Amino acid sequence: MSTVGLVMLPPPDEARVAMAAALGAFEPVGGLDDLQRAVFDNVAEHVFGLDLAESPLDPMTAEELLALSPAESLRRQTVHLTVVLELIEHPLSSATAQAVEHHADALGVDLSLLRDARELAAGHVALMYADLQRSNWYTAETIHESLHGRLWE
């Protein structure tokens, strides 16, 4: 395993397996949408150093992954990736939510991570919007005040 900051990354061969299994989680709903696919490809390239153009991945079911007797950490990282990809879909379809839940359950990964991530994401859209509005107001107000004599206050 290698590390990036505090994150332990699997070696490239294990990363390929985790990425293929994450793809497999979305097969029941027709695969990844365009934005999910773009994020997936970027994670593969920039996080794990995989070249999917040169060596594409075939989706792997949870059962196929389990047949390889993966470590618990690899199963968990696979589910973490599926959760990230799920949260990109907006609005989240119930079919995708069920597919990801089934995948996590089949891999024996605690579903509390999934529930917590969904709750956090649901509340953060409104908070993010408010934050952006506040940030933009401050910038606009600062520029306005700077141009009207309050530059040095």
Side-chain angles (χ1 to χ4, degrees):
M1 290 223 169
S2 62
T3 60
V4 174
L6 298 175
V7 178
M8 297 291 291
L9 298 177
D13 57 330
E14 289 183 19
R16 287 187 62 77
V17 170
M19 298 287 289
L23 271 182
F26 292 89
E27 282 299 292
V29 293
L32 301 174
D33 66 24
D34 292 341
L35 181 57
Q36 289 169 322
R37 187 65 203 208
V39 170
F40 181 86
D41 290 347
N42 276 285
V43 167
E45 180 181 353
H46 299 292
V47 175
F48 296 116
L50 304 177
D51 185 356
L52 298 184
E54 181 181 306
S55 183
L57 294 173
D58 291 322
M60 179 185 288
T61 66
E63 293 74 23
E64 291 170 325
L65 176 61
L66 291 173
L68 299 174
S69 302
E72 189 272 336
S73 61
L74 188 69
R75 289 182 286 126
R76 193 174 8 96
Q77 285 179 328
T78 299
V79 172
H80 288 179
L81 180 57
T82 62
V83 169
V84 167
L85 294 170
E86 173 194 285
L87 293 176
I88 293 170
E89 183 176 313
H90 184 74
L92 177 62
S93 72
S94 60
T96 299
Q98 289 173 349
V100 170
E101 287 173 16
H102 172 74
H103 185 73
D105 191 46
L107 292 178
V109 175
D110 184 20
L111 294 175
S112 64
L113 162 79
L114 183 56
R115 287 188 293 272
D116 292 346
R118 285 177 181 163
E119 286 178 26
L120 193 61
H124 276 333
V125 171
L127 289 175
M128 180 183 69
Y129 178 77
D131 218 18
L132 288 172
Q133 289 298 325
R134 184 188 47 152
S135 296
N136 288 336
W137 175 85
Y138 180 76
T139 301
E141 190 65 21
T142 301
I143 290 170
H144 175 77
E145 293 295 323
S146 297
L147 293 174
H148 294 89
R150 293 198 176 180
L151 180 60
W152 304 110
E153 288 183 20

